[in-house]
Amino acid sequence: MSKVLLVDDMKAELDLLHQYLTEAGYDVTTANNGKEALEMVDNNKPDIIVTDWMMPEMGGLDLCRQLKKNPDTATIPVVACTAKNRDVDKMWATKQGVKAYVIKPCTKEDLVSAVKSAINS
């Protein structure tokens, strides 16, 4: 069972996405922002991270940058799950090593498919 770290500052989103991934058979832990996610990664390295882009303290883009700087976390695949759907947003995500990009609101199928492809890429 793959371990997923789910990062979002909106409790309703976090709960819904957690439900989608748990129902799909993933072991899910959650964080409320990038800073909290980084602390959790140090203690319990996930197989994949699904993160929102816009959050207080540290957003998803900065989280990706921090993960890539550290050799211990640089290979963890990241899926962006965000309301930002402009091409420039996707370009920046790709430059930061994001493996898949899901636009909110998303379906369970969208999210699970993105997670599977990111884990297998």
Side-chain angles (χ1 to χ4, degrees), residues 39-75:
E39 291 167 8
M40 293 175 79
V41 166
D42 284 342
N43 300 327
N44 188 8
K45 191 172 163 187
D47 297 309
I48 188 166
I49 296 172
V50 177
T51 185
D52 186 20
W53 236 220
M54 306 296 291
M55 296 177 289
E57 293 196 52
M58 182 188 288
L61 205 55
D62 286 333
L63 172 60
C64 286
R65 286 187 190 114
Q66 295 299 320
L67 291 168
K68 296 300 172 207
K69 283 183 189 174
N70 182 341
D72 293 335
T73 59
T75 59

